[in-house]
Amino acid sequence: MELYRGSNTNQMDYNDDGRGPKSGKMLASTDDRLDSGLDSLKDDEYTDVTLMSDFGRMKVVERQDEPWRKELTEDGDTYLHLAIIHEASDAALKMIDLSYGDPFLNTQNNQRQTALHLAVITEQPRLVEQLLKAGCDASLVDDCGNTALHIACRKGSMACFGLLTQGCPQHLPAILQTPNYNGQKCIHVAAVHGYLSLLENLIQLGGDINAQEQCNGRTALHLAVDLQNFELVKLLISKGADVHSFTYGGHTPYHLTYGRANADIKKVLYELTAPHLRELPESESEDGDEDYEDQSTSEDEDIYDDIKMMGQ
């Protein structure tokens, strides 16, 4: 039995490690990811649950015991995960509608992704909205420690960001304080990727502008200097970022301008930094000079498992 992905018949991009396709890229599929899990259904169960193709759209037919909630692929994906991955929105919405308040909505696959994570990764705001209304837990994290809001901040998806911040007000303060496994909170993720509007919204919603990421204590302002993003530096300063905040290595944002080309950033921070904090500390280290964009994408890529569709 095969699932169909609407009219889009492009092949999904698979990772070299076999974990599944990357979002937004198209490559040939691998031979070891062909089993969708549907073949494991017993013959008599086909009478209880039906996923059928209707001009490329998947339809879910409800039966009394609804066994489709219990079926998992070898990668831990439910039918809802699969419907979201393949953008079969009608089928996904039907399953969500039948599962209001059901723990099924928070099922995590082998990458600890919930349906909500996948809806944000695939940028389907309508599904994000319905999942939140149905009771999906926005505070759950995937195997990189990312909440759905972390992912929205990384992708720069204002639509998903708005729905997530408005749809779970009781969990939002905790989510804003949650670091992923790179030690970055949502405000750091937005800063690393240079999304000024998202960053401004995070601050208005209560995100700590001076929060330190856990790797070496950089704030969003430190990261903006590292990335030589003058517009971001100006925004953070206008919102009250502490120019005297120290990293774990004892460096202020101004210290991080040494050896970097942007004279405008250096001039602004020089004028705002206390004279006794302008000189570099005795340590010659600048906290490792890590490329935060590479770090954030190397472990946090929008990866999800996929199956072979329509023989491709």
Side-chain angles (χ1 to χ4, degrees):
M1 185 176 181
E2 287 186 312
L3 290 176
Y4 294 86
R5 188 192 176 187
S7 59
N8 187 347
T9 59
N10 289 324
Q11 292 172 306
M12 302 300 289
D13 174 7
Y14 283 76
N15 293 311
D16 293 337
D17 60 5
R19 288 185 296 173
K22 297 179 182 178
S23 173
K25 298 180 181 178
M26 304 297 173
L27 290 177
S29 61
T30 55
D31 292 332
D32 59 345
R33 291 291 293 113
L34 306 184
D35 181 13
S36 69
L38 298 181
D39 291 337
S40 62
L41 286 173
K42 298 176 182 178
D43 290 340
D44 59 347
E45 288 177 331
Y46 284 117
T47 62
D48 296 322
V49 60
T50 301
L51 287 174
M52 58 187 293
S53 173
D54 178 16
F55 298 101
R57 291 194 295 265
M58 292 167 54
K59 289 188 176 181
V60 177
V61 180
E62 181 183 10
R63 296 293 182 257
Q64 288 184 347
D65 54 357
E66 297 175 354
W68 49 267
R69 288 182 182 163
K70 302 175 184 178
E71 295 298 329
L72 300 175
T73 70
E74 62 184 7
D75 300 292
D77 290 317
T78 66
Y79 284 147
L80 181 55
H81 285 104
L82 296 178
I84 294 172
I85 289 170
H86 297 291
E87 300 179 12
S89 58
D90 289 343
L93 289 168
K94 181 65 174 177
M95 283 184 269
I96 295 168
D97 184 59
L98 295 172
S99 303
Y100 264 59
D102 195 297
F104 165 76
L105 293 175
N106 292 316
T107 302
Q108 293 174 284
N109 63 18
N110 293 355
Q111 292 174 289
R112 295 178 62 192
Q113 295 164 323
T114 65
L116 186 60
H117 285 102
L118 294 175
V120 177
I121 288 172
T122 56
E123 297 192 64
Q124 299 183 73
R126 185 182 177 194
L127 297 186
V128 171
E129 182 179 19
Q130 293 307 311
L131 283 164
L132 290 170
K133 288 180 178 179
C136 201
D137 187 351
S139 67
L140 294 176
V141 300
D142 63 15
D143 62 359
C144 292
N146 291 308
T147 65
L149 189 59
H150 279 89
I151 296 170
C153 289
R154 185 171 71 245
K155 295 183 71 68
S157 176
M158 185 62 79
C160 291
F161 176 92
L163 290 167
L164 287 165
T165 54
Q166 296 171 23
C168 54
Q170 69 277 21
H171 297 301
L172 185 58
I175 292 172
L176 292 176
Q177 293 301 316
T178 299
N180 62 21
Y181 298 155
N182 283 332
Q184 296 177 337
K185 299 178 181 180
C186 290
I187 198 165
H188 301 119
V189 175
V192 164
H193 290 86
Y195 295 127
L196 275 65
S197 295
L198 289 184
L199 192 64
E200 189 169 5
N201 275 276
L202 285 168
I203 296 168
Q204 291 174 349
L205 290 166
D208 183 2
I209 194 173
N210 295 312
Q212 294 176 287
E213 50 81 26
Q214 296 180 346
C215 291
N216 53 34
R218 284 183 168 128
T219 65
L221 184 56
H222 287 97
L223 295 173
V225 177
D226 259 351
L227 296 167
Q228 293 287 273
N229 189 330
F230 186 40
E231 293 303 315
L232 183 55
V233 168
K234 289 192 295 182
L235 173 65
L236 289 165
I237 290 173
S238 72
K239 296 297 180 181
D242 184 4
V243 298
H244 297 138
S245 176
F246 290 98
T247 66
Y248 298 152
H251 295 94
T252 65
Y254 178 72
H255 290 151
L256 301 186
T257 66
Y258 280 79
R260 291 189 164 94
N262 195 309
D264 291 328
I265 293 177
K266 187 165 188 173
K267 181 175 184 297
V268 167
L269 288 174
Y270 179 86
E271 294 172 351
L272 295 173
T273 303
H276 68 285
L277 295 178
R278 291 172 183 164
E279 294 297 323
L280 281 172
E282 292 183 3
S283 171
E284 295 180 359
S285 168
E286 289 194 9
D287 296 311
D289 246 7
E290 298 179 22
D291 186 332
Y292 273 78
E293 186 167 5
D294 287 346
Q295 176 186 2
S296 65
T297 56
S298 63
E299 296 183 11
D300 296 346
E301 291 175 335
D302 296 332
I303 298 169
Y304 49 82
D305 291 316
D306 199 4
I307 61 177
K308 189 171 182 180
M309 306 300 291
M310 301 182 69
Q312 298 180 333

